[in-house]
Amino acid sequence: MKNFRLYLKKYMKDEVKLLVKGCKTNDRNAQRVFYSIFYGYAMSICLRYSNSRADAEEIINDGFLKVFSKIEIFDSDLEIKFWMKRIFINTAIDHFRKNKKHYYQDDIEEASAVSSKDEDVLDRLSAEEITKLVQSLAPSYQIVFNLYVIEGYKHHEIADLLGISEGTSKSNLSMARERLKRAIIQNEY
Amino acid sequence: MENFDKKVKEKLLSYPTSELPAESELMKMMSMLDEALPTEKGSVTIDSEAKPSFSIKIFYKLAASISFLFIAFYSVLLLNDVSIEATEIAVKTVKLPDGSQVNMKDGASIKYNKLLWLFNRDLTFEGVGFFEVEKGEKFSVHSMLGSTQVLGTSFTIISNQTKYEVGCLTGKVSVTSKSTGENVLLLPGDGIVLNKAIFKVIKLERLGEPSWVSGEFYFEDESFDNVISILQDQYSVEISYPKEVEKLKYTGYFDNKDLKKALKLVCEPLELEYNFDGKKIKLSALN
């Protein structure tokens, strides 16, 4: 059984390599299959960088277009998923920067005291439910939260990427945390 | 704080990745690609119907190759079908692929498949035959009324619509009735007669190759018409004789190699003479 799993893994890897090869030659069928296979993966990333499914779909398609345009320079020995992830995150950042002027900055509210109950509640929520709550965050909080907490960027990197100051990045992060915790507790009741 | 971040991260990264794109999203993507990375053909040829056809094509290819293989295999099988009938010749000897021999009497027929023979020594037989089977895996003979299985032995079979008769000369022979499924093991010297109703073991009168295989015929007080009918059979001739000689008994010998010699051997002790009349032979008393 273990051998079979190893075999399956290798088989899948070889299949993906073939697909990548096809995509490098701009073969529509390969691109179609590649898109269908990795769509779910792209969705799992892009949902948390958007406020709605429609937004996520837009980021996904723009991201895939970049993937297909740049796949020629992709080194086939590397893991395609990690390479794609960076492209999708960059696409999400582009979207944020493009729409930034439309986003109004929330007044910094007094962070209300939040009990430690939130962590127990968190355990009971599914990935889909948490994603929904992250989606409900204002874009400027959401993107900083994602880049810092999920992707592991530093504040000065985030400031560079988004064209904001380091201080804004920090305060947006703490605001994002507060909002998220409140949303988690509200979700409970 | 750290703990909260870690938990949220874990949850977000465990988001399922199995979702498939809606057709509309796929179409959007394809038209974006056509615009940004045009190909000569574009994706016109692979629009909405192309997606199922991708797997259907493979399915058809698979189905086609499987049926091709099947037909090829079947025709190879058919090409290897061997069907032999002993017609004009009194005794025809057939060598089977494993070296086993079948001596078939006039009118007998044998059918087997050269390829399947490698896996299974299986043949269909009708008529009268003497089998000498090489040692090896099970050897099966199927006839209308019964079937016979042996490992390596010699035996005779007489099979027609009404009767199935097997005689075992050496080794062990297992005979199964097609209608009742009854099974009998024959030891050397045993024989069995099987018709639609009965299934009984008999003792063989004489051991050894049947006379029609060796072509030598020995008689002791045999009725004259029996002797003549064997003579007619062996040489495919027609022999006529006067009524008064019918009651004669013949003791003697002839073989199937020389007609004149055989006639002489039959006629002399009984004080008869023979005359050829075209293809017919006329016997008459010596005066």
Side-chain angles (χ1 to χ4, degrees):
Chain A
M1 202 58 203
K2 201 182 161 195
N3 273 343
F4 176 72
R5 256 188 232 130
L6 276 176
Y7 171 77
L8 200 65
K9 220 171 166 183
K10 192 183 171 303
Y11 175 80
M12 292 299 286
K13 246 187 180 160
D14 290 348
E15 287 292 284
V16 169
K17 269 191 182 163
L18 267 180
L19 271 182
V20 169
K21 215 171 166 186
C23 291
K24 283 188 181 201
T25 63
N26 199 21
D27 174 354
R28 281 287 183 276
N29 273 326
Q31 286 162 338
R32 179 189 292 270
V33 176
F34 186 95
Y35 177 80
S36 302
I37 286 178
F38 289 110
Y39 185 84
Y41 177 67
M43 183 60 89
S44 75
I45 297 167
C46 296
L47 272 177
R48 61 175 180 261
Y49 285 95
S50 59
N51 295 117
S52 66
R53 252 193 110 73
D55 283 353
E57 282 166 357
E58 214 183 307
I59 300 172
I60 288 171
N61 278 1
D62 285 350
F64 268 112
L65 193 60
K66 280 189 198 165
V67 167
F68 290 135
S69 315
K70 291 182 180 176
I71 201 159
E72 238 179 311
I73 57 166
F74 168 70
D75 179 352
S76 300
D77 292 333
L78 300 178
E79 185 66 58
I80 186 86
K81 274 191 174 181
F82 297 149
W83 182 75
M84 278 167 58
K85 188 177 187 176
R86 285 221 335 262
I87 290 184
F88 283 114
I89 290 168
N90 286 338
T91 311
I93 292 171
D94 288 349
H95 271 242
F96 172 82
R97 291 168 67 117
K98 205 167 70 188
N99 299 320
K100 197 165 68 172
K101 53 182 176 288
H102 305 307
Y103 300 145
Y104 60 92
Q105 200 74 30
D106 267 5
D107 291 330
I108 293 183
E109 282 175 42
E110 193 56 44
S112 53
V114 176
S115 69
S116 61
K117 253 176 78 184
D118 52 5
E119 282 181 20
D120 305 331
V121 180
L122 190 54
D123 286 334
R124 289 198 292 273
L125 292 177
S126 68
E128 285 91 337
E129 285 167 321
I130 301 267
T131 304
K132 277 238 165 70
L133 296 179
V134 171
Q135 278 192 308
S136 72
L137 292 173
S140 47
Y141 298 162
Q142 181 195 60
I143 197 160
V144 173
F145 181 82
N146 279 326
L147 291 177
Y148 187 88
V149 174
I150 316 296
E151 264 66 64
Y153 285 95
K154 302 278 180 292
H155 279 299
H156 68 268
E157 292 170 325
I158 295 172
D160 279 355
L161 282 171
L162 301 182
I164 55 174
S165 72
E166 222 178 305
T168 310
S169 176
K170 279 178 186 164
S171 72
N172 280 6
L173 176 65
S174 63
M175 282 309 294
R177 280 205 192 103
E178 291 311 317
R179 294 281 163 96
L180 196 55
K181 282 180 180 176
R182 206 182 299 161
I184 285 169
I185 286 167
Q186 271 167 7
N187 186 70
E188 174 79 350
Y189 300 111
Chain B
M1 269 319 162
E2 285 283 302
N3 212 13
F4 174 80
D5 286 0
K6 220 175 102 189
K7 277 189 178 166
V8 174
K9 183 178 176 180
E10 261 170 33
K11 290 271 180 180
L12 286 178
L13 289 181
S14 69
Y15 194 91
T17 59
S18 53
E19 189 178 336
L20 286 173
E23 190 63 27
S24 58
E25 286 305 304
L26 185 63
M27 297 302 289
K28 233 187 258 172
M29 185 75 243
M30 287 297 128
S31 57
M32 282 164 79
L33 273 173
D34 278 348
E35 210 172 291
L37 303 168
T39 63
E40 284 143 42
K41 290 180 287 175
S43 16
V44 195
T45 50
I46 46 166
D47 57 10
S48 59
E49 267 158 52
K51 197 185 172 193
S53 82
F54 186 71
S55 52
I56 284 173
K57 248 189 216 160
I58 289 176
F59 174 75
Y60 279 138
K61 274 183 193 165
L62 213 70
S65 41
I66 286 172
S67 42
F68 174 76
L69 277 178
F70 190 76
I71 290 166
F73 180 69
Y74 193 67
S75 33
V76 166
L77 269 191
L78 281 185
L79 281 177
N80 278 288
D81 259 348
V82 178
S83 178
I84 298 166
E85 244 176 275
T87 45
E88 316 252 317
I89 313 161
V91 178
K92 188 176 172 77
T93 304
V94 175
K95 245 197 155 67
L96 296 171
D98 65 332
S100 296
Q101 268 192 32
V102 186
N103 298 292
M104 306 196 311
K105 218 181 158 186
D106 197 359
S109 68
I110 192 167
K111 261 188 212 162
Y112 65 93
N113 188 289
K114 262 198 279 182
L115 200 70
L116 292 181
W117 188 267
L118 297 174
F119 308 104
N120 234 337
R121 300 200 291 174
D122 238 357
L123 58 84
T124 312
F125 179 83
E126 295 301 337
V128 182
F130 173 61
F131 291 75
E132 287 167 283
V133 178
E134 287 292 312
K135 280 209 161 55
E137 291 293 305
K138 196 170 86 178
F139 183 101
S140 306
V141 183
H142 302 282
S143 300
M144 219 169 317
L145 293 179
S147 63
T148 301
Q149 285 88 31
V150 296
L151 291 176
T153 171
S154 55
F155 58 96
T156 55
I157 287 183
I158 300 170
S159 167
N160 55 40
Q161 275 98 324
T162 55
K163 185 172 84 168
Y164 187 61
E165 201 179 311
V166 181
C168 171
L169 300 171
T170 58
K172 279 178 194 166
V173 178
S174 152
V175 181
T176 310
S177 160
K178 279 241 165 103
S179 51
T180 63
E182 258 181 291
N183 182 282
V184 162
L185 193 68
L186 299 181
L187 296 173
D190 285 347
I192 192 156
V193 179
L194 177 72
N195 62 26
K196 274 177 185 153
I198 61 150
F199 190 70
K200 73 166 191 216
V201 181
I202 48 163
K203 267 274 171 255
L204 288 185
E205 285 165 13
R206 182 173 44 79
L207 278 180
E209 270 186 314
S211 49
W212 54 265
V213 174
S214 61
E216 293 168 342
F217 299 87
Y218 296 89
F219 303 96
E220 213 181 303
D221 277 338
E222 187 66 55
S223 70
F224 186 74
D225 52 340
N226 266 351
V227 174
I228 294 301
S229 73
I230 289 170
L231 200 55
Q232 291 187 121
D233 265 8
Q234 290 303 310
Y235 290 100
S236 304
V237 289
E238 210 177 290
I239 300 173
S240 62
Y241 48 88
K243 274 229 158 171
E244 56 267 29
V245 298
E246 247 177 48
K247 283 168 202 149
L248 292 173
K249 298 276 186 202
Y250 175 72
T251 299
Y253 149 91
F254 65 80
D255 65 25
N256 65 355
K257 310 233 163 31
D258 183 344
L259 176 59
K260 279 185 182 167
K261 192 177 155 200
L263 283 169
K264 213 174 152 190
L265 283 166
V266 172
C267 289
E268 270 180 4
L270 298 174
E271 299 183 311
L272 297 168
E273 66 172 2
Y274 64 89
N275 286 297
F276 282 90
D277 179 13
K279 276 204 167 177
K280 290 177 183 171
I281 297 161
K282 225 174 160 179
L283 302 188
S284 51
L286 262 179
N287 283 318

